[in-house]
């Protein structure tokens, strides 16, 4: 229960501070100043390109296609594992997750209407920067993809999938902050939103075939 409690508390605290322009936003300004100083002191085109590339991993493409492909692959694996007639479940889970992301992010962006790090005022009809849509998209897409596949993977493969999804989520957030696309707290809010959804999905999603994918040879994916 620690994960959803911590995620919810942090999300509420950060959202409150963003809404009232509280002192916690000083952390955003300090981190941005440190990043800008690092850019000036050690200019590196390769790092800048890497930051942009990592940020792009949180775009709808490639994140959503990866999620849907993982749902299809997981459904096939679940069927191989004789999932008691529920082998199709990963497909709607993947589709619902893809649809849930904008439902979580867009209303919040419109409600908080937070300007980005560059300080440009929002134009009429423009969404704000809080929370980070790229962070939420990456964390949920790669997280749910890993969760669906891990349900029929061996323990070692499940750990690798979980670690890979977490690494991608962190990398996207770091790329966004390094590239000056988002404030740090925008990214933190995206991580918290994803953590709450992933915790709920992990509690609800069944584990077919006793947790291991049975192949024709009788071995499981490790």
């Amino acid at each position: 229960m620690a994960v959803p409690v911590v995620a919810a508390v942090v999300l509420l605290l950060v959202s409150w501070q963003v809404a009232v322009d509280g002192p916690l936003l000083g952390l955003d300004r300090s981190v941005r100043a440190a990043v800008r100083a690092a850019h000036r002191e050690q200019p590196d085109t390769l790092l800048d390109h890497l930051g942009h590339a990592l940020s792009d991993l949180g775009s709808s493409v490639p994140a959503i296609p990866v999620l849907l492909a993982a749902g299809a692959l997981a459904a096939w694996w679940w069927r191989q594992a004789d999932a008691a007639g529920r082998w199709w479940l990963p497909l709607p889970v993947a589709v619902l997750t893809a649809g849930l992301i904008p439902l979580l992010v867009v209303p919040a962006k419109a409600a908080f209407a937070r300007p980005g790090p560059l300080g440009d005022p929002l134009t009429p009809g423009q969404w704000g920067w809080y929370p980070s849509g790229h962070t939420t998209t990456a964390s949920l897409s790669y997280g749910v993809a890993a969760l669906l596949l891990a349900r029929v993977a061996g323990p070692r493969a499940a750990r690798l999938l979980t670690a890979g999804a977490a690494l991608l989520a962190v990398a996207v957030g770091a790329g966004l902050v390094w590239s000056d696309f988002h404030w740090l707290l925008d990214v933190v809010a995206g991580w918290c939103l994803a953590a709450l959804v992933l915790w709920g999905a992990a509690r609800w999603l069944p584990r077919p075939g006793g947790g291991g994918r049975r192949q024709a040879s009788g071995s499981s994916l490790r």
Side-chain angles (χ1 to χ4, degrees), residues 182-205:
H182 268 289
W183 299 105
L184 174 63
L185 294 183
D186 301 343
V187 170
V188 170
W191 285 334
C192 290
L193 277 173
L196 290 170
V197 175
L198 287 169
W199 178 82
R203 300 268 296 183
W204 168 78
L205 200 63

Side-chain angles (χ1 to χ4, degrees), residues 109-110 113-114 116 120-129:
K109 283 180 174 288
R114 187 187 191 192
D120 297 332
L122 300 180
T123 59
Q126 183 182 13
W127 301 331
W129 266 251

